């Protein structure tokens, strides 16, 4: 099986400047780009064509490999192992750290993207629905919510189906913040977690933190905590800029404004502010044009009615004075 001949990785399209909105898709993309595997990527993918109803999936000829683990196994066999540059001790540490990160971030990720009702209803469901063909987009995002129920019940210790008052999120947030602190300490001033070479740990950390950091959610307590770890922010931005510079996607184009240079805002927050400003400008121009058209119409109408009526009482009404002022 030659990877460069007809192999295609199918993933969700990105947002906020990232190449994908989905954690599993993002770390599968890291496998490809870190190892420079020559493979095409399809971002307008239909998850229902994978055979398992999930993304990502790798198609080579008539064979389909669904999910990160299967994709990684194929790349390993084809000569693109992501940890090839690590020594034996580093490989062991990479696996240990990866499992620890999974334990502390996986439940947080699933709860705040799919389990927290306001976040899911206002943001996440729409993101996945827009990337799923009609009519499956009406029900497909709920499959991720059902998966989140199991993840949070096992790793978080509570049921998403319970009333919001019973969601014990303090435990999830505390563990996630501890994890971010340890990762920041581990990374230090290094380019990668193991120095000058990438690893699977880098792919996993980037995939979790990039989405949590970039996404605009009504409730996302870890976002500001990540913002306080400048080396992790640089880590996220460097990989996004250098590794995925041609694959990042944003539905809202950036416009230079005075507020866009505020370093205290995340990129998604800056985009939101800029889009709000653009909307207000367009609305203002539209309102002025509408008022002008209405005033002109009223002027013509008054002239016609004045000429046709012999009962004019000689009083100048306020509307007429306003129209004269606008003229």
């Amino acid at each position: 099986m030659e990877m460069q001949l007809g192999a295609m990785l199918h993933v969700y399209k990105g947002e906020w400047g990232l190449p994908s909105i989905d954690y599993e898709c993002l770390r599968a993309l890291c496998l490809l780009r870190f190892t420079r595997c020559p493979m095409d990527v399809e971002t307008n993918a239909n998850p229902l064509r994978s055979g398992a109803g999930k993304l990502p999936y790798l198609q080579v000829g008539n064979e389909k490999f669904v999910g990160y683990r299967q994709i990684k196994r194929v790349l390993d066999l084809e000569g693109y192992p992501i940890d090839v540059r690590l020594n034996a001790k580093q490989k062991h540490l990479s696996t240990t750290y990866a499992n620890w990160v999974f334990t502390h971030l996986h439940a947080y990720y699933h709860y705040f993207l799919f389990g927290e009702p306001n976040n899911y209803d206002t943001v996440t469901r729409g993101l996945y629905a827009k990337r799923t063909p009609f009519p499956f987009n009406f029900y497909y995002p709920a499959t991720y919510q059902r998966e989140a129920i199991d993840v949070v019940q096992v790793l978080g210790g509570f049921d998403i189906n319970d009333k919001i008052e019973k969601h014990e999120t303090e435990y999830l947030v505390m563990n996630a913040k501890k994890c971010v602190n340890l990762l920041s300490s581990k990374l230090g001033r290094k380019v990668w977690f193991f120095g000058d070479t990438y690893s699977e740990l880098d792919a996993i950390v980037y995939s979790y933190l990039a989405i949590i950091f970039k996404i605009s959610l009504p409730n996302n307590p870890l976002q500001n905590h990540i913002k306080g770890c400048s080396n992790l922010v640089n880590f996220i931005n460097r990989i996004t800029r250098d590794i995925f510079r041609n694959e990042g996607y944003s539905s809202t184009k950036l416009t230079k404004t005075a507020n866009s240079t505020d370093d205290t805002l995340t990129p998604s927050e800056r985009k939101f502010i800029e889009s709000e400003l653009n909307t207000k400008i367009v609305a203002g121009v539209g309102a002025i044009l509408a008022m002008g058209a209405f005033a002109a119409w009223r002027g013509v109408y008054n002239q016609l009615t004045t000429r046709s009526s012999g009962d004019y009482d000689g009083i100048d009404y306020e509307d007429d004075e306003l129209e004269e002022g606008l003229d």
Side-chain angles (χ1 to χ4, degrees), residues 50-204:
S50 68
K54 299 284 289 184
L55 291 178
Y57 74 92
L58 168 63
Q59 183 158 5
V60 184
N62 294 324
E63 293 186 83
K64 294 179 181 179
F65 305 90
V66 185
Y68 172 81
R69 288 300 168 194
Q70 287 191 22
I71 295 169
K72 182 178 183 298
R73 192 175 301 116
V74 171
L75 293 182
D76 288 346
L77 293 173
E78 291 300 314
Y80 298 97
I82 191 170
D83 284 340
V84 66
R85 299 182 182 180
L86 302 184
N87 58 40
K89 180 180 178 180
Q90 289 173 331
K91 289 180 181 178
H92 176 73
L93 286 174
S94 178
T95 301
T96 302
Y97 270 101
N99 291 334
W100 191 81
V101 170
F102 173 87
T103 302
H104 287 74
L105 288 183
H106 202 61
Y108 179 96
Y109 174 89
H110 275 79
Y111 175 77
F112 281 96
L113 266 73
F114 304 102
E116 208 277 359
N118 194 26
N119 289 350
Y120 176 73
D121 289 337
T122 61
V123 179
T124 317
R125 179 166 56 184
L127 283 171
Y128 280 80
K130 288 178 182 178
R131 289 158 176 80
T132 306
F134 177 85
F136 309 109
N137 54 342
F138 285 103
Y139 71 87
Y140 180 75
T143 62
Y144 283 88
Q145 192 177 49
R146 289 193 291 271
E147 181 180 347
I149 292 173
D150 294 334
V151 171
V152 173
Q153 200 159 31
V154 173
L155 297 177
F158 63 90
D159 192 340
I160 291 174
N161 290 319
D162 289 340
K163 293 182 179 179
I164 190 71
E165 295 80 10
K166 295 185 178 181
H167 292 189
E168 300 173 3
T169 58
E170 296 83 2
Y171 175 77
L172 299 182
V173 175
M174 180 185 66
N175 280 347
K177 287 182 177 180
K178 286 181 179 180
C179 181
V180 168
N181 291 341
L182 185 142
L183 290 173
S184 179
S185 177
K186 169 66 178 173
L187 180 63
R189 297 183 178 181
K190 300 189 294 294
V191 176
W192 305 101
F193 278 95
F194 290 100
D196 296 328
T197 183
Y198 57 79
S199 67
E200 186 177 16
L201 177 62
D202 295 286
I204 291 172

Side-chain angles (χ1 to χ4, degrees), residues 10-26:
H10 298 258
V11 298
Y12 286 109
K13 181 183 286 187
E15 188 58 275
W16 330 293
L18 299 179
S20 181
I21 62 167
D22 184 76
Y23 161 74
E24 285 284 315
C25 293
L26 202 51

